[in-house]
């Protein structure tokens, strides 16, 4: 019953974002991941992996899920996924991505994210004992993130399109 509930909720989450196939696929994929997590249990191979590998695997699975979510059509999502896994040639615009992602600013942001995700302390533990240096770090990261969003020439925030 729990598996059916997980699948239903995630499919409804996909419908909530829009009545397009790519959103339905996004919801079904997340539902399948949640069901798989429940099926393998807490004593799985995943739990025995080093923390960094668990973080990277989870990140990769989530990145894959955002492809159908952001694609304009299901066909476009399949093309992007095929290119990600080396099954199809990348689109002509793909070289632009290399220049944007692997800029100095982008690499610094990725390094900060990697450091933050590999800390043993969870976010709520970090926030419980706030000190001046933590407030300074969090505030700085917040403003860098906001600055990064507004520095882009195109910022098609999904919910502004509705």
């Amino acid at each position: 019953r729990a598996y059916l509930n997980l699948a239903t909720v995630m499919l409804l989450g996909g419908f909530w974002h829009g009545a397009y196939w790519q959103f339905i696929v996004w919801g079904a994929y997340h539902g399948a991941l949640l069901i798989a997590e429940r099926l393998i249990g807490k004593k799985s191979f995943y739990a025995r992996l080093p923390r960094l590998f668990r973080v990277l695997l989870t990140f990769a699975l989530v990145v894959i899920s955002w492809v159908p979510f952001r694609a304009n059509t299901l066909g476009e999502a399949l093309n992007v996924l095929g290119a990600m896994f080396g099954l199809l040639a990348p689109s002509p615009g793909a070289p632009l991505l290399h220049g944007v992602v692997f800029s100095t600013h982008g690499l610094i942001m990725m390094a900060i994210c990697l450091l933050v995700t590999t800390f043993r302390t969870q976010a709520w533990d970090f926030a419980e004992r706030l000190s001046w240096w933590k407030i300074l770090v969090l505030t700085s990261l917040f403003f860098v993130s906001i600055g990064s969003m507004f520095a882009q020439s195109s910022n098609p925030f999904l919910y502004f399109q509705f």
Side-chain angles (χ1 to χ4, degrees), residues 39-161:
L39 282 172
I40 63 175
K42 294 187 184 275
K43 303 247 186 242
S44 67
F45 74 95
Y46 184 79
R48 291 188 296 270
L49 290 173
R51 179 176 168 76
L52 179 61
F53 291 118
R54 291 192 318 254
V55 168
L56 291 175
L57 178 60
T58 301
F59 180 74
L61 291 171
V62 171
V63 165
I64 291 167
S65 79
W66 288 112
V67 172
F69 191 85
R70 285 297 294 149
N72 293 320
T73 66
L74 192 54
E76 182 181 304
L78 292 173
N79 287 338
V80 170
L81 287 169
M84 282 174 64
F85 290 103
L87 303 173
L88 298 173
S91 67
L96 295 175
L97 182 63
H98 179 76
V100 173
V101 173
F102 295 110
S103 66
T104 304
H105 178 260
L107 290 172
I108 290 170
M109 292 300 288
M110 285 189 273
I112 290 171
C113 290
L114 181 64
L115 287 172
V116 169
T117 58
T118 54
F119 282 145
R120 290 248 175 239
T121 305
Q122 296 295 322
W124 54 83
D125 296 330
F126 184 82
E128 268 184 358
R129 297 177 299 277
L130 282 179
S131 63
W132 285 107
W133 74 270
K134 287 181 184 179
I135 292 170
L136 181 65
V137 167
L138 292 173
T139 304
S140 300
L141 288 174
F142 173 74
F143 283 115
V144 167
S145 299
I146 296 297
S148 296
M149 275 190 346
F150 289 110
Q152 298 174 10
S153 60
S154 171
N155 188 8
F157 182 59
L158 177 73
Y159 295 107
F160 289 158
Q161 297 175 15

